[in-house]
């Protein structure tokens, strides 16, 4: 059943599916009403994402150009120098970003890299920005050290439903993902966790993914919803595009089920029309990545985002409002 006011947010697929399948106008009206109850409806958080270590990942995620398992043509790099990371963060801040995300293509960080990771967090925090990292799986000690360094968020997506997970990744399990999420929470950090839509999953998988997120002991404070970018050389490189209306339905359901969370319109925006993005914002998306790349994928140019925001009457969110 759908949770009520004083209950813990325990969802099941039937309740979530009933909302997901509402007439489209009713679904969007409900999602927008929820959004307005918790957020300024005309403000969007701007985040910047930097790949601090690209390619050569031992995981076999079927969507990812950074996996060492696939001939995607991406050349592996070493961990970026701390000074360069902080310099890039400063440029992002000066361009209006309030949140800085750093990602490394690892199964999990090695101890030899932790000092540099800590220095990156401290350097970006000193700029007055909110910090996020995605480094793969963490053990409890690593999570504690990141928290002590001042990391605000840790990103660790579950990608899809538990049922469909094995179709996409074989080098780790769905339970491994949940274990790392537990370590993040126990360390006292905020959770950034979402998934990817358009990987050949069924509607039930998209709903189950959101049910899993909403039913965590605490729902993620940040929920990135990615639209698959098919990348040549990967197993999902020839995937058919997801229907735009189905994508917007997932955004709306995420907003309704996790009303206090930032719902981030993440990868895939280059393939979205302005009208599709506008529907996503109306459905409750209130965070985007800015900059011309997301790790290794293309992202809309900032002038295009500014033009769209101007047409929609949307303004960037202030750091103080987050």
């Amino acid at each position: 059943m759908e949770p009520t006011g004083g209950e813990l947010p325990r969802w099941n697929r039937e309740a979530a599916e009933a909302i997901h399948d509402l007439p489209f106008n009713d679904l969007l009206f409900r999602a927008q009403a929820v959004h307005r109850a918790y957020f300024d409806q005309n403000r969007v958080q701007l985040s910047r994402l930097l790949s601090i270590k690209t390619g050569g990942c031992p995981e076999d995620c079927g969507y990812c150009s950074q996996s060492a398992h696939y001939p995607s043509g991406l050349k592996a790099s070493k961990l970026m120098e701390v000074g360069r990371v902080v310099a890039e963060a400063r440029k992002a801040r000066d361009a209006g970003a309030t949140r800085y995300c750093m990602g490394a293509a690892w199964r999990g960080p090695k101890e030899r890299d932790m000092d540099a990771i800590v220095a990156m967090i401290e350097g970006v925090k000193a700029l007055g920005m909110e910090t996020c990292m995605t480094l793969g799986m963490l053990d409890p000690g690593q999570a504690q050290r990141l928290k002590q360094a001042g990391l605000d968020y840790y990103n660790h997506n579950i990608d899809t439903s538990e049922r469909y997970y094995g179709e996409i990744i074989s080098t780790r399990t769905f339970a491994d993902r949940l274990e790392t999420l537990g370590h993040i929470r126990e360390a006292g950090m905020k959770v950034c966790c979402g998934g990817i839509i358009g990987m050949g999953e069924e509607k039930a998988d998209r709903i189950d993914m959101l049910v899993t997120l909403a039913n965590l002991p605490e729902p993620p404070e940040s929920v990135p919803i990615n639209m698959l970018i098919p990348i040549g050389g990967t197993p999902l490189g020839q995937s058919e595009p997801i229907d735009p209306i189905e994508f917007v339905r997932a955004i709306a359901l995420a907003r309704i089920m996790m009303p206090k969370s930032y719902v981030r319109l993440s990868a895939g925006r280059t393939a979205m029309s302005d009208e599709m993005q506008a529907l996503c914002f109306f459905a409750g998306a209130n965070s985007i990545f800015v900059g011309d790349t997301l790790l290794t994928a293309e992202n809309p140019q900032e002038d295009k985002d500014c033009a769209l925001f101007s047409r929609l009457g949307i303004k960037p969110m202030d750091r103080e409002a987050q």
Side-chain angles (χ1 to χ4, degrees):
M1 62 182 291
E2 182 178 345
T4 57
E7 299 175 358
L8 290 173
R10 302 304 300 178
W11 288 84
N12 59 40
R13 184 197 294 174
E14 291 73 23
E17 187 172 20
I19 295 172
H20 178 278
D21 291 348
L22 286 170
F24 192 61
N25 286 345
D26 294 344
L27 175 64
L28 292 194
F29 181 81
R30 181 165 174 175
Q32 177 63 196
V34 170
H35 187 61
R36 285 169 180 258
Y38 291 91
F39 291 98
D40 183 330
Q41 66 273 13
N42 293 312
R43 294 275 182 174
V44 171
Q45 179 193 62
L46 303 186
S47 301
R48 185 70 70 104
L49 178 61
L50 177 69
S51 179
I52 59 174
K53 193 278 174 189
T54 303
C57 183
E59 305 280 22
D60 67 353
C61 307
Y63 52 80
C64 188
S65 64
Q66 302 202 64
S67 172
H69 294 259
Y70 312 126
S72 66
L74 185 69
K75 185 178 180 181
S77 70
K78 294 181 179 180
L79 183 64
M80 194 178 288
E81 294 180 356
V82 174
R84 184 181 166 198
V85 171
V86 175
E88 292 295 325
R90 183 178 293 106
K91 284 192 268 184
R93 181 201 62 184
D94 293 347
T98 58
R99 189 170 188 271
Y100 203 67
C101 309
M102 295 159 273
W106 288 327
R107 178 177 173 83
K110 293 182 172 61
E111 287 306 311
R112 66 170 182 257
D113 297 312
M114 289 299 291
D115 286 347
I117 293 296
V118 165
M120 291 175 192
I121 296 167
E122 293 172 344
V124 176
K125 287 283 286 186
L127 298 174
M129 301 183 79
E130 196 172 55
T131 53
C132 180
M133 281 194 160
T134 178
L135 312 171
M137 294 186 289
L138 298 178
D139 63 36
Q142 291 170 331
Q144 287 289 345
R145 190 166 180 200
L146 295 178
K147 170 62 178 176
Q148 291 167 4
L151 188 65
D152 297 299
Y153 281 84
Y154 193 83
N155 167 259
H156 201 62
N157 292 338
I158 59 171
D159 292 336
T160 187
S161 70
E162 184 173 11
R163 182 200 74 84
Y164 196 62
Y165 192 85
E167 300 294 318
I168 304 300
I169 302 163
S170 70
T171 50
R172 59 171 180 260
T173 67
F174 197 79
D176 290 333
R177 286 301 218 190
L178 297 180
E179 181 179 56
T180 287
L181 293 176
H183 297 330
I184 297 164
R185 278 291 183 213
E186 289 164 9
M189 287 182 284
K190 295 177 181 177
V191 170
C192 175
C193 184
I196 305 171
I197 292 175
M199 298 190 294
E201 76 283 347
E202 299 176 2
K203 177 185 77 171
D205 295 306
R206 295 193 285 276
I207 294 171
D208 283 350
M209 176 185 75
L210 295 176
V211 167
T212 295
L213 294 175
N215 283 346
L216 290 171
E218 292 180 67
E221 286 85 357
S222 178
V223 182
I225 305 293
N226 300 274
M227 188 171 77
L228 177 71
I229 301 174
I231 296 173
T234 67
L236 297 178
Q238 302 301 317
S239 297
E240 292 294 320
I242 187 74
D243 175 70
I245 299 299
E246 289 302 302
F247 186 88
V248 177
R249 282 187 180 276
I251 293 285
L253 185 60
R255 168 52 63 217
I256 292 166
M257 293 175 69
M258 292 170 279
K260 298 180 182 180
S261 303
Y262 286 90
V263 176
R264 182 168 302 110
L265 190 58
S266 297
R269 287 200 301 121
T270 51
M272 298 179 190
S273 67
D274 285 354
E275 293 77 10
M276 182 179 173
Q277 291 188 67
L279 279 175
C280 288
F281 292 132
F282 188 73
N286 64 336
S287 181
I288 63 169
F289 283 116
V290 292
D292 56 3
T293 57
L294 296 182
L295 294 180
T296 61
E298 291 184 354
N299 198 45
Q301 296 287 335
E302 288 179 60
D303 56 352
K304 186 175 181 181
D305 286 332
C306 288
L308 177 59
F309 276 21
S310 178
R311 291 169 63 200
L312 299 179
I314 288 175
K315 295 182 179 179
M317 193 175 293
D318 297 328
R319 176 72 173 90
E320 292 74 19
Q322 295 178 38

